[in-house]
Amino acid sequence: MQIRTLFCFLALAFAGCTGQPAPADKPSPAPDREWWKEIIVYQIYPRSFKDTDGDGVGDLKGIIEKLDYVKSLGVDAVWLNPIYSSPNDDNGYDVSDYRNIMQDFGTMDDFDEMLKGMHQRGIKLIMDVVVNHSSDEHEWFRQSRSSRDNPYRDYYHWWPAEKGKPPYRYSLFDPKGDAWKYDSMTNAYYLHYFSQKQPDLNWENPKVRQEVYDIMKFWADKGVDGFRLDAFQFVAKDTIFPSFPEGFEKNFVEYYAMQGNLHEYLREMNREVFSHYDVMSVAEGAGRNFEDAHRLVDEDRHELNMAYAFEGVDIAKPGGYTLAHFKEVFTRWDSAFANNGWLSIFLANHDQARLVSRFGNDSPAFRIPSAKLLNTFILSMRGTPYCYYGDELGMTNIGFEKIEQYRDISAINGYKKVKNEGGDVEQYLKDLRFGSRDNGRTPMQWDSSEQAGFTSGPPWLPVNANYRQVNVEAENKDPASVLNHFRKMVQLRKQHPALVYGKYQLLQPEHPTVYAYTRSLGDEELLVLLNFSDKKSGLALADVATIGEVLINNYGTVEMDKDAVRLEPYQALVFSLK
Ligand code: NOJ
């Protein structure tokens, strides 16, 4: 039997290998080129990246020390999680001084040196702006809680106790799930969508908004290149605090996101801050639907450059996920923004467990190819890619067994809540092992020395036991490592504007194991084939033009003829098409 016939036969043996063309979608207009569409962002969780003073916590000097490594990845920008002064109830997402550096991380001089070092290497810096809430230790809150007639009282949301209990609001991090905390000092409740130490700022107060714009200008004047707006979709509130239907918390985003004057605030921020600097802006959260997301990012609205939508990153569940669902979500979001607006593309960050453990296969046999496949996906889709530190190595979940091992407030208070409510704590612990944020926050694995070269002291969170195999030093030396594959993909994206701006077309949507799509711009067309399974998978190629060069392959060989490809488990291929 000829090879070609063999592949047609194999292809037909797989459901979905129908060779049917995917439904045509509208041609993309000529792209408006923008630097923030073309960058690849590398996210650094500073606490876990590199410690230089032996206290077990990463610091800015550590980032400075590793800037050549960041440069070697080929990425263009770093998004840094919050580095401002903070009592660390939520690892820096509780800011007590927006114009100062957290002591654990260093000093403002360190910051200036770090920024200079980034710019010297052509790397931009995106700062996290955490202004849905501050820390309860921020001076504004100290003042605000001190008396009802303090000038800072209206910087936060207060409900006087003589009006009775305020209408229930759900808190994401509260052990009782209650977002109102009673404060005896003024006999009133304050609102906190996150922890009790993260009181929500009152965005309806113009003074608060002005404070925020001034803070942003302070950092923009220092030369930072962008802002990531934390939990921004929740900032505006109906300060009447109407009652919400019982059980609303199961779907709280519908009630919390994009309320009131949020878009006006963003236009104001744009006028006051963004329009005066060459900075990019990205919001965490893209609202409740496409319409909300477009209203945030469409250029004619003068609000933001882009947003993170959660539907994609939320697909992975403890029980697994289906490729059909994955394809459907990413295709739907891509087509909704094909002609207008821009989004980010990501599968992991500091609020998620590890990329390869959630979306891939972290068993010894498949960790390497599946981590490469996932990085190929992120770096070949439309949208600005955000890659989380350690995922370029294929770092995996640590999978703690006991609640005492966790450091993350959401895990610890979530556990208390389940316990208080008489829920299934064993199941909760099992779910945490798969999905907890601490899984994604373990120290960066630099080498095979003690503590993976992260620190000379006891690390704030244990190093993953696999650091002797999975580390930068080892992967640097190995041309077939996840790290070197990541670098190749970064270069490929840079060399092919089709991967940034090109039209995306899904092929064979029904194929159960292979995600196949093309990216095309002008005369150039690239084909991406990703086998999301631990079995070989065949794929007919009836609906693409002639295959050209193999540009990316996470295996040594490609088994194919002109009509079909047979992919190895988790094989990831990018071809040029003639
Ligand atoms: C979203 C951040 O990404 C997360 O880490 C944090 O806990 C909450 N916002 C509260 O700031």
Side-chain angles (χ1 to χ4, degrees):
M1 196 193 292
Q2 278 186 344
I3 296 183
R4 187 168 158 224
T5 331
L6 170 73
F7 281 120
C8 289
F9 170 75
L10 285 169
L12 292 170
F14 290 87
C17 296
T18 58
Q20 295 296 315
D25 75 272
K26 281 194 248 152
S28 299
D32 280 335
R33 291 193 63 171
E34 299 283 358
W35 66 261
W36 42 265
K37 294 181 179 171
E38 296 180 14
I39 58 174
I40 295 165
V41 183
Y42 182 66
Q43 183 190 348
I44 293 182
Y45 197 65
R47 229 181 151 69
S48 303
F49 200 58
K50 171 72 189 170
D51 173 30
T52 55
D53 59 6
D55 65 356
V57 173
D59 45 46
L60 300 189
K61 283 203 161 73
I63 297 174
I64 296 169
E65 199 182 299
K66 295 298 182 184
L67 284 180
D68 285 336
Y69 170 73
V70 177
K71 176 78 187 156
S72 82
L73 299 174
V75 298
D76 314 274
V78 164
W79 155 27
L80 207 52
N81 292 98
I83 52 167
Y84 319 101
S85 305
S86 164
N88 277 315
D89 193 50
D90 183 20
N91 289 358
Y93 281 94
D94 47 321
V95 179
S96 54
D97 183 350
Y98 291 95
R99 289 184 176 81
N100 250 316
I101 304 295
M102 188 192 299
Q103 264 177 15
D104 287 349
F105 291 166
T107 63
M108 195 57 94
D109 285 346
D110 296 338
F111 174 85
D112 293 338
E113 191 186 331
M114 180 189 72
L115 183 60
K116 193 164 154 219
M118 287 181 178
H119 285 168
Q120 277 166 348
R121 291 167 178 80
I123 299 168
K124 294 180 184 294
L125 176 62
I126 300 161
M127 296 282 277
D128 220 312
V129 179
V130 190
V131 288
N132 172 69
H133 44 268
S134 71
S135 162
D136 67 341
E137 297 184 33
H138 194 291
E139 187 54 27
W140 298 336
F141 191 74
R142 287 186 204 277
Q143 297 277 343
S144 183
R145 89 191 315 176
S146 66
S147 78
R148 287 192 181 189
D149 52 14
N150 186 283
Y152 288 91
R153 185 67 171 181
D154 290 343
Y155 271 43
Y156 297 86
H157 297 284
W158 291 98
W159 180 275
E162 61 273 18
K163 278 172 65 183
K165 280 203 86 175
Y168 174 57
R169 287 295 182 269
Y170 166 70
S171 160
L172 282 87
F173 294 167
D174 188 73
K176 293 201 177 105
D178 184 357
W180 289 107
K181 163 95 177 136
Y182 177 72
D183 196 45
S184 60
M185 208 170 326
T186 56
N187 189 33
Y189 297 84
Y190 67 84
L191 186 72
H192 61 92
Y193 277 180
F194 295 91
S195 89
Q196 295 181 0
K197 286 184 67 62
Q198 294 170 295
D200 282 38
L201 283 159
N202 178 7
W203 271 74
E204 280 56 55
N205 180 348
K207 284 193 199 144
V208 168
R209 302 201 298 273
Q210 205 50 57
E211 298 265 17
V212 170
Y213 307 146
D214 289 348
I215 290 163
M216 292 172 83
K217 285 188 221 162
F218 170 85
W219 292 100
D221 286 336
K222 277 190 165 286
V224 311
D225 307 284
F227 297 104
R228 177 252 186 203
L229 303 179
D230 181 69
F232 201 81
Q233 56 180 353
F234 300 147
V235 299
K237 277 136 194 142
D238 180 346
T239 52
I240 303 291
F241 293 109
S243 292
F244 290 156
E246 211 179 306
F248 87 91
E249 65 276 11
K250 292 190 193 78
N251 206 3
F252 70 92
V253 173
E254 288 295 319
Y255 295 83
Y256 282 12
M258 319 308 285
Q259 297 299 300
N261 296 324
L262 184 128
H263 291 286
E264 272 167 43
Y265 303 156
L266 277 175
R267 280 198 289 273
E268 188 180 65
M269 183 185 284
N270 193 308
R271 276 196 309 277
E272 292 265 341
V273 187
F274 304 145
S275 67
H276 300 284
Y277 302 90
D278 186 17
V279 290
M280 60 146 270
S281 54
V282 53
E284 188 202 20
R288 299 154 299 188
N289 46 44
F290 289 153
E291 202 190 329
D292 278 349
H294 272 296
R295 293 183 77 202
L296 286 173
V297 300
D298 286 0
E299 269 172 48
D300 55 352
R301 294 191 45 91
H302 303 289
E303 295 189 16
L304 297 169
N305 297 139
M306 63 183 115
Y308 306 96
F310 292 126
E311 196 177 348
V313 77
D314 284 346
I315 293 172
K317 298 283 181 237
Y321 68 97
T322 66
L323 181 61
H325 184 202
F326 190 93
K327 288 185 196 181
E328 188 276 320
V329 169
F330 280 98
T331 302
R332 185 157 39 79
W333 277 90
D334 182 85
S335 66
F337 290 82
N339 298 318
N340 208 2
W342 192 258
L343 294 173
S344 49
I345 184 104
F346 70 107
L347 284 176
N349 61 30
H350 65 291
D351 290 332
Q352 309 294 338
R354 280 286 163 194
L355 174 70
V356 71
S357 302
R358 284 184 80 225
F359 282 98
N361 183 331
D362 63 8
S363 70
F366 298 120
R367 183 188 66 82
I368 292 176
S370 72
K372 290 178 182 173
L373 170 137
L374 293 164
N375 285 324
T376 307
F377 170 73
I378 296 163
L379 292 164
S380 62
M381 287 292 281
R382 182 154 45 189
T384 299
Y386 286 71
C387 306
Y388 187 52
Y389 89 94
D391 285 341
E392 78 276 22
L393 306 176
M395 277 174 60
T396 60
N397 279 1
I398 192 157
F400 292 141
E401 298 288 331
K402 294 185 286 202
I403 193 63
E404 294 73 28
Q405 293 171 294
Y406 288 91
R407 295 288 165 271
D408 174 21
I409 183 160
S410 97
I412 296 167
N413 285 356
Y415 181 86
K416 286 184 193 155
K417 184 160 183 272
V418 173
K419 213 169 164 187
N420 286 341
E421 291 167 356
D424 185 348
V425 287
E426 284 313 312
Q427 184 60 45
Y428 184 76
L429 280 176
K430 209 168 149 211
D431 291 348
L432 278 184
R433 267 199 291 286
F434 172 79
S436 93
R437 309 197 296 181
D438 278 342
N439 275 315
R441 297 176 176 183
T442 60
M444 178 68 170
Q445 295 166 202
W446 293 106
D447 55 39
S448 57
S449 69
E450 199 72 0
Q451 309 300 359
F454 164 68
T455 180
S456 57
W460 76 277
L461 201 61
V463 170
N464 192 307
N466 63 14
Y467 74 91
R468 289 212 162 78
Q469 296 78 50
V470 183
N471 67 63
V472 172
E473 192 182 42
E475 294 201 24
N476 259 335
K477 288 185 203 140
D478 174 5
S481 64
V482 180
L483 175 59
N484 282 319
H485 180 87
F486 179 87
R487 289 182 173 131
K488 270 186 225 151
M489 264 317 292
V490 167
Q491 291 313 318
L492 192 79
R493 191 172 178 96
K494 290 186 177 302
Q495 287 152 11
H496 297 273
L499 290 178
V500 176
Y501 294 110
K503 186 180 108 178
Y504 157 96
Q505 172 121 33
L506 176 65
L507 306 176
Q508 301 188 20
E510 310 300 331
H511 197 296
T513 49
V514 176
Y515 192 170
Y517 49 92
T518 54
R519 301 293 316 277
S520 50
L521 184 70
D523 292 341
E524 189 176 43
E525 188 163 20
L526 302 178
L527 169 68
V528 182
L529 301 181
L530 307 170
N531 179 8
F532 272 70
S533 92
D534 60 2
K535 309 268 179 324
K536 285 191 166 198
S537 295
L539 180 96
L541 289 174
D543 50 358
V544 295
T546 323
I547 294 273
E549 215 185 317
V550 181
L551 300 172
I552 286 287
N553 182 3
N554 62 348
Y555 278 78
T557 53
V558 188
E559 233 184 289
M560 66 177 294
D561 74 357
K562 100 178 184 4
D563 294 324
V565 182
R566 189 164 164 78
L567 292 108
E568 297 293 328
Y570 299 104
Q571 187 160 19
L573 292 161
V574 183
F575 297 99
S576 61
L577 295 180
K578 288 188 220 149

